[in-house]
Amino acid sequence: MSSESQPSALAEAWVRNSTYFLDSVLAANRATLSAFGVPTGTGDGVVGGEERPEWDVELTENRRDALTVGDRVRFSKRLTDDDVHAFAAASGDTNPLHLDDEYAESTRFGGRIAHGTLVSGLISAALARLPGLVIYLSQDLEFQRPVGVDDRVTADCEIVEAIGEDRYRLRTTVTTEEGEVAIDGEAVVLLDEA
């Protein structure tokens, strides 16, 4: 091998590997955005503020300046196999409990379950529908039961305290269709003007 071809071969290998790496990062980002309904430029997302027909949203107060203790927001959706695979690709969490039917059947759960972080993401989806610009400040979670792939779940966020300076503490839960609590917790958000 001549000294002229060696740098060229190294440069080509570097470009090939860098391209593969960047393509992987872009694919993971698109999958995460798609799993949460954000447009990715590939035709699979939603436009800001647009809702999908399979999503159910309930909000007790539409004005930021009128929010008070007891107001709540709910967000429901079915966590599909596509959601679980997109989240695995985006997050890198490829635990076979979430992705491999045969493996998951041999576990204490008896089948595949959705990622806990994907399930808790519905809390963020609910909070995003509060009036104003929602800034997530903190979230405490307790996972109480698994959510299966293709289960429909509801995130319910209720204001329990107006802290001041447009900050609110909320009780956050995610429940199954049967009304069983899968996740229990508490969030603090700041609501700026949109």
Side-chain angles (χ1 to χ4, degrees):
M1 181 180 279
S2 74
S3 61
E4 288 179 20
S5 66
Q6 190 174 10
S8 177
L10 287 174
E12 286 176 24
W14 182 84
V15 168
R16 187 173 49 255
N17 288 333
S18 295
T19 301
Y20 175 76
F21 173 75
L22 291 174
D23 287 345
S24 297
V25 170
L26 288 172
N29 286 340
R30 283 189 193 106
T32 299
L33 294 171
S34 177
F36 288 104
V38 177
T40 62
T42 60
D44 60 354
V46 296
V47 177
E50 181 181 329
E51 300 290 333
R52 290 186 173 185
E54 66 271 18
W55 295 346
D56 290 324
V57 178
E58 296 174 36
L59 181 63
T60 60
E61 179 54 62
N62 290 312
R63 289 187 20 236
R64 185 179 70 90
D65 62 345
L67 284 173
T68 188
V69 171
D71 283 328
R72 64 188 333 134
V73 59
R74 288 188 181 108
F75 179 87
S76 300
K77 85 175 288 283
R78 185 169 307 284
L79 292 176
T80 66
D81 184 59
D82 287 345
D83 292 333
V84 170
H85 277 89
F87 186 82
S91 68
D93 182 347
T94 58
N95 184 332
L97 178 60
H98 308 303
L99 304 171
D100 184 327
D101 286 318
E102 186 176 327
Y103 175 84
E105 286 173 7
S106 70
T107 69
R108 70 174 63 217
F109 303 104
R112 290 174 48 219
I113 62 172
H115 300 77
T117 306
L118 173 59
V119 177
S120 69
L122 272 68
I123 295 169
S124 181
L127 293 173
R129 280 141 177 92
L130 288 169
L133 172 63
V134 179
I135 302 167
Y136 222 146
L137 299 178
S138 69
Q139 177 75 60
D140 291 321
L141 299 172
E142 181 182 312
F143 297 95
Q144 296 187 354
R145 71 180 65 254
V147 170
V149 177
D150 285 325
D151 284 357
R152 185 168 188 81
V153 289
T154 300
D156 187 1
C157 304
E158 179 181 359
I159 296 174
V160 294
E161 181 182 7
I163 299 171
E165 298 181 12
D166 299 319
R167 289 169 163 51
Y168 297 88
R169 184 177 324 282
L170 299 99
R171 174 150 191 243
T172 58
T173 59
V174 178
T175 54
T176 64
E177 277 186 291
E178 295 78 26
E180 297 175 323
V181 175
I183 299 175
D184 193 17
E186 181 179 272
V188 176
V189 297
L190 168 65
L191 297 178
D192 272 346
E193 284 189 46

